[in-house]
Amino acid sequence: MRTFKIFGIFLSAVLTVFGMTSCFNSDDNSNQSLTKEQIQQCYFAVAGPHSGKLVYVAGKSDKGNSKTDSIPASWNITSDSTMVLNNVSAKAVASLIDTTSAEHKEIRKAIAAQSSKPMNCYIGFVNMNPVQWLINPTGLTYNVTYGGAKHEIKLVFAANNSYSFGQYNSTSRIMQLQLIAYGAYIDGTFDTSTTPLVLRGTPLWFVQK
C-alpha cells in the first residue's frame, strides 16, 4: 500500500492531523476494478448520513507552516454513485481563494460572507479494505459583488482523480474525505489568468471520528 500522494506543501499537515493513507495510484485511476457485488459491499459499509468536521488551511503559523481550522460538517452517502456534502461552509471555501491582489481579496471576503450550501458529488468505489472511493464534486456557485458589479463565481475541484477521495476504516470507524481545489469559472469562463483566483491544489478535509 502506497502513501497517498498529495501536493507537497500540505503533505505534513494532512498526515499529522489525520494520518490519511491510500492505495490509489495518482498516475492511473483505472487500475482498480471492483465487481458489482463488491461495490455494493463498500456502499453498505459507508451508506447514510455522517457528521464530523470540515478542516481547511487557515493561514501560516509564525514558523511559516500551514495551520488549519475546523467547523462542524455533515454528509450523506446516498447511493453507490452519489454523495451529498451538506451545508459546506463558505468560510472554509473562501480559504481556497488567492489573496495576492486587491480584487482577489475582495472576492475572498465576499465568498466568506455567503451562507453555507450543499454540494452534490458523484463517487466510485475502488478499494474494499479499507473502503475507498473517488469523489467527483459538482462544484459550488456564489453570486457576489466586487469591483462595483455583480459576478458569478463557480469553484471546481479535481474530479475523476485520486487527489479527491474518501476512505473508511472499519476497525477505527474513522471516515475521511479529501477534496482538492482545481480552479474557478468567473461569469461562465474558466479562469486561466497568470495568477488564478483559486489556489489550485489546496485541500479541504471532512473527518468523522
Side-chain angles (χ1 to χ4, degrees), residues 108-171:
R108 181 168 180 158
K109 183 178 180 180
I111 289 179
Q114 299 282 307
S115 300
S116 299
K117 59 176 58 182
M119 179 165 62
N120 295 321
C121 303
Y122 297 104
I123 63 174
F125 290 98
V126 295
N127 197 65
M128 294 190 68
N129 187 25
V131 177
Q132 295 175 320
W133 59 99
L134 297 180
I135 302 174
N136 294 335
T138 57
L140 291 164
T141 300
Y142 300 92
N143 293 308
V144 298
T145 299
Y146 63 90
K150 294 181 178 179
H151 299 274
E152 180 186 87
I153 306 292
K154 181 177 181 179
L155 277 75
V156 293
F157 300 83
N160 197 31
N161 186 300
S162 55
Y163 288 129
S164 291
F165 76 106
Q167 176 172 290
Y168 175 67
N169 187 310
S170 59
T171 301

